[in-house]
Amino acid sequence: MSIETVRRLIRVAADEPGGLAVLTGAGMSAESGIPTFRDAMTGMWSKFDPAELASEQGFRARPQHVWDWYAERREGVRAALPNAGHRALGDFHRRHPGSMVLITQNVDNLHQRAGVPGMIRLHGDILADRWLGPCARHPACSPTEAVAGRPPRCADCGNLLRPGVVWFGEMLPPAAIDAAELAARRCRLMLVVGTSGAVWPAAGLAGEARRHGASVVIVNPEASEIDGDAQHLLRGTAATLLPALLDGL
Ligand code: BV8
């Protein structure tokens, strides 16, 4: 399918509230220098399985090791800048308020920094912290009680701080996955950008949109596990194809 044909689909979808749903994955931030999730397992982390590091079990087994992995990734997110793909989405959102619902699997903040404030964040926020478990002595540990460390812990009860992301084996925030499924059912067009389609339940959203009559277009330089859910595959990168698809509409 040509760029012009997809632009026509976007033009029609943009005419109604929620007409365009955009689902992004780690490939969206690759051109901002943030390794994709699978690539994030390169370098010193290459010998670890993501599910081992990005899980409560992995954190409880080796809190300092997992905390350091997140600290390194947080540094990368803070140093990164939104790329042309993020900016194209932010500019489109400004030109067509209400037409686009952005659903992201990403835990970075690049979509917000490119001007898309109210998006659906399926997997949480890498820059946020939360307590690992309930407080042993009070209704909740106070953030001011956190004693510096790797990871910080509650001075009062020893509870550990953990990154505010959704780990493998953890439920997604119900409000987020419900809103994402509603957006998939309502949209006329879903653009799926930079995801391998390997992680569920996010990977089910393109099929949900397709089953409810939407056109589904995948933007990815490589094949993904959900290519079968799309009518159209655009082989290319987010920073190249999103401006070509959205600018000027
Ligand atoms: C849950 C936060 C209930 C942490 C993340 C059904 C079937 C099978 C398994 C399951 C299932 N349901 C649940 C599971 C288990 C599991 C799962 O999906 N496992 C997979 C591995 C098989 N899911 C869960 O545990 C979820 N919870 O369902 O709870 C439950 C629990 C247990 C069992 C049953 C039910 C929670 C999942 C959330 C995990 N947390 N992130 C952190 O970041 O540290 S997910 C993590 O992986 C990232 O957030 C990221 O989003 C995701 C990886 O996916 P992608 O975004 O697609 O990234 P990836 O690197 O894989 O691909 C990048 C793509 O970009 C590639 O295609 C590449 O070609 C492309 N690309 C590269 N460069 C560019 C580009 N594209 C465009 N432009 C470029 N320049």
Side-chain angles (χ1 to χ4, degrees):
M1 175 171 249
S2 73
I3 297 279
E4 194 38 51
T5 312
V6 178
R7 283 173 64 88
R8 274 200 296 277
L9 291 176
I10 295 170
R11 224 177 264 123
V12 169
D15 275 350
E16 56 188 82
L20 172 64
V22 181
L23 171 66
T24 63
M28 181 75 229
S29 300
E31 287 154 291
S32 296
I34 297 180
T36 63
F37 200 76
R38 266 75 190 146
D39 296 351
M41 309 316 291
T42 54
M44 69 186 282
W45 309 105
S46 56
K47 49 188 174 298
F48 297 102
D49 168 4
E52 182 197 328
L53 293 180
S55 70
E56 180 175 339
Q57 188 190 357
F59 180 70
R60 286 186 182 279
R62 304 180 72 185
Q64 180 175 321
H65 182 78
V66 175
W67 182 263
D68 288 351
W69 181 51
Y70 280 93
E72 185 176 302
R73 290 174 61 199
R74 284 172 169 176
E75 260 180 60
V77 168
R78 291 194 180 98
L81 293 174
N83 61 51
H86 294 105
R87 293 196 299 274
L89 287 168
D91 295 344
F92 184 86
H93 167 74
R94 272 188 289 277
R95 294 194 300 272
H96 300 275
S99 301
M100 178 180 86
V101 178
L102 178 60
I103 307 161
T104 191
Q105 300 174 79
N106 297 342
V107 293
D108 63 52
N109 59 356
L110 296 182
H111 282 305
Q112 295 90 319
R113 287 161 59 190
V116 183
M119 82 196 74
I120 299 169
R121 304 187 75 171
L122 297 176
H123 297 156
D125 176 358
I126 198 168
L127 298 180
D129 284 335
R130 62 184 170 93
W131 292 108
L132 176 62
C135 179
R137 296 161 56 110
H138 307 298
C141 299
S142 144
T144 55
E145 292 279 311
V147 175
R150 291 161 53 201
R153 63 179 57 239
C154 174
D156 192 18
C157 75
N159 199 357
L160 298 179
L161 274 183
R162 52 157 289 177
V165 296
V166 178
W167 275 331
F168 287 99
E170 292 183 328
M171 301 295 284
L172 274 60
I177 191 65
D178 290 351
E181 284 167 352
L182 180 64
R185 288 194 286 269
R186 274 183 53 197
C187 71
R188 292 178 70 108
L189 170 63
M190 177 177 276
L191 285 182
V192 179
V193 185
T195 182
S196 61
V199 175
W200 291 80
L205 292 170
E208 183 78 354
R210 182 75 186 270
R211 281 188 297 279
H212 284 77
S215 298
V216 176
V217 176
I218 288 182
V219 172
N220 195 322
E222 296 168 17
S224 81
E225 295 186 25
I226 52 173
D227 281 4
D229 292 332
Q231 287 100 335
H232 315 292
L233 306 172
L234 293 180
R235 284 285 171 258
T237 71
T240 308
L241 286 181
L242 285 178
L245 290 171
L246 297 169
D247 287 359
L249 290 186

